Amino acid sequence: MPQTARIWNYWLGGKDNFPVDRAVGDQVLEAFPAIVENARASRAFLARAVRYLAGEAGIRQFLDIGTGLPTANNTHQVAQAVAPECRIVYVDNDPIVLTHARALLTSTPEGATAYIDADLRDPDKILQEAARTLDFTQPIAIMLMGILGHIEDDDQARSIVNHLVGAVPSGSYLTMNDGTDASEEVVEAARIWNQSANPTYHPRSPGRITRFFDGLELVEPGVVSPPRWRPEPSPSGLPAEIDSFCGVGRKP
Ligand SMILES: C[S@@+](CC[C@H](N)C(=O)[O-])C[C@H]1O[C@@H](n2cnc3c(N)ncnc32)[C@H](O)[C@@H]1O
């Protein structure tokens, strides 16, 4: 069965994928050639956001749900390069991600990493198991990168986000990124995906993505397309947008 983590890994140029994953990956690529750029720009946002959180925001704990297969610049590597004492808990429900999880458990001696095999739809299990590694009296950055689109219903997705954000103290952060539905190419790509891959994916409008940050203080520049979130300065000006929206919000 083609699986989201392995198809994503294929687009990112990884080797942990099978012919069935590449077949669906290629079909989506045909409908939406920008998907590869989209995947890479999303990972680049992850790295800039984690660098901001561990740096300027002083965060030392991360809960990364929907981790994906290990690739370059995983959350713990970026965070611990800034502050080696960072503690990171990864969560995914894909059995293949579980078999590769050892590559995520390469913490610095000062910090810690852990992996939980759990479903985002069971936030209580995630919070209970994460408490073995993270101190829930201290700020935590919750990362939901490319995962909320797998929960079709907005109310269900918002209830999960509220549950997670409700469990962390003031000064914690929500970082998220997900696909938008503004272009016909993306809608067609999602249709192809949902015919054959698992779990299904449902891009949202920028407005629906922005509402997940309700009640949080948005870090500048707000909820934007990932290449526009605090880009590295470039002589060629602002980078082009992609079909995703992302942001970082602080719990007051
Ligand atoms: C598109 S990948 C994103 C990977 C990574 N966060 C990134 O930004 O590169 C989505 C990941 O979410 C995981 N996932 C999807 N639905 C999930 C659920 N209900 N519970 C836990 N993980 C889930 C998939 O297995 C996959 O690894």
Side-chain angles (χ1 to χ4, degrees):
M1 184 96 194
Q3 200 77 22
T4 178
R6 297 193 302 264
I7 299 171
W8 191 248
N9 171 267
Y10 172 51
W11 291 331
L12 283 170
K15 289 179 296 189
D16 302 314
N17 47 72
F18 297 127
V20 284
D21 305 308
R22 294 193 286 275
V24 174
D26 285 339
Q27 277 175 38
V28 172
L29 202 53
E30 208 170 298
F32 178 37
I35 187 66
V36 168
E37 180 48 31
N38 214 313
R40 292 184 183 157
S42 296
R43 288 298 302 189
F45 162 67
L46 180 146
R48 292 197 306 282
V50 171
R51 239 176 265 127
Y52 164 81
L53 290 162
E56 211 173 305
I59 291 290
R60 295 292 176 263
Q61 308 193 94
F62 293 81
L63 178 57
D64 182 346
I65 309 174
T67 305
L69 283 158
T71 172
N73 289 330
N74 301 295
T75 298
H76 75 284
Q77 287 150 336
V78 179
Q80 292 183 341
V82 178
E85 68 273 30
C86 284
R87 306 176 76 78
I88 291 91
V89 171
Y90 290 110
V91 182
D92 207 289
N93 69 346
D94 184 333
I96 303 281
V97 178
L98 175 65
T99 65
H100 286 265
R102 229 173 318 132
L104 298 167
L105 303 178
T106 54
S107 175
T108 54
E110 302 92 327
T113 56
Y115 182 86
I116 304 173
D117 178 27
D119 196 299
L120 176 65
R121 292 179 183 84
D122 189 357
D124 277 329
K125 176 180 176 183
I126 292 174
L127 292 168
Q128 215 167 26
E129 294 197 16
R132 293 196 198 123
T133 307
L134 305 180
D135 174 358
F136 277 76
T137 68
Q138 297 300 312
I140 294 173
I142 299 165
M143 322 268 305
L144 296 172
M145 313 289 274
I147 184 172
L148 277 183
H150 290 298
I151 310 268
E152 182 171 12
D153 183 70
D154 280 25
D155 289 341
Q156 187 187 7
R158 202 159 320 118
S159 143
I160 292 168
V161 171
N162 290 346
H163 194 126
L164 293 168
V165 172
V168 293
S170 159
S172 293
Y173 286 83
L174 170 70
T175 301
M176 74 157 289
N177 174 33
D178 249 298
T180 50
D181 62 0
S183 83
E184 273 172 33
E185 286 186 354
V186 171
V187 173
E188 174 59 10
R191 194 190 61 77
I192 293 169
W193 175 288
N194 291 342
Q195 266 177 355
S196 36
N198 192 32
T200 59
Y201 191 79
H202 308 275
R204 294 185 159 91
S205 67
R208 284 167 70 202
I209 292 177
T210 304
R211 279 198 286 281
F212 289 117
F213 291 96
D214 282 358
L216 303 177
E217 296 161 354
L218 282 174
V219 169
E220 284 297 319
V223 186
V224 294
S225 187
R228 299 279 172 96
W229 197 90
R230 299 185 174 226
E232 311 292 349
S234 155
S236 48
L238 269 184
E241 298 195 9
I242 59 166
D243 289 290
S244 286
F245 248 51
C246 71
V248 177
R250 181 179 183 277
K251 182 172 175 176

